[in-house]
Amino acid sequence: MSFVQDLLKPGGGIALIPFIRGTIWMLLLMVIIMGVLDVARIHMVVLAFLSTGLLVSISMFEKAWNDVQRSRSANGSVAAKADKEPEKTD
């Protein structure tokens, strides 16, 4: 499968986390530089705060994702259990 097909399948967006993290780090670096150069300083402080919040939230999401993946592998295949038809109780 191609990389684009992997991204478009359900749950494939997780592959973009390193790219997203790198982009936010570059944004944070530029905001800090602009703040030091005294370009709209208050706006740069707010943007730096928001960028830091995004980095923290992505880290929390990735930690939760890894925990879910670890619990799924420990409990066996969830997909195999989901495909099984429920038993009739009539």
Side-chain angles (χ1 to χ4, degrees):
M1 253 198 244
S2 72
F3 182 69
V4 174
Q5 288 176 334
D6 286 341
L7 287 178
L8 293 178
K9 71 179 184 179
I14 198 75
L16 290 177
I17 285 182
F19 173 74
I20 293 169
R21 183 177 287 132
T23 303
I24 295 172
W25 273 112
M26 288 190 299
L27 171 68
L28 188 57
L29 177 67
M30 292 303 297
V31 164
I32 290 171
I33 290 171
M34 295 309 249
V36 168
L37 294 176
D38 203 23
V39 177
R41 186 169 286 185
I42 189 67
H43 293 87
M44 297 304 129
V45 169
V46 171
L47 282 172
F49 176 76
L50 293 173
S51 298
T52 304
L54 279 172
L55 285 172
V56 169
S57 68
I58 287 175
S59 295
M60 290 171 53
F61 172 77
E62 189 173 24
K63 182 182 179 298
W65 177 265
N66 290 336
D67 289 345
V68 167
Q69 295 296 70
R70 215 173 307 119
S71 69
R72 281 187 179 179
S73 65
N75 293 336
S77 176
V78 175
K81 293 177 186 176
D83 289 341
K84 203 165 121 180
E85 246 183 79
E87 294 180 18
K88 298 207 178 211
T89 57
D90 294 333

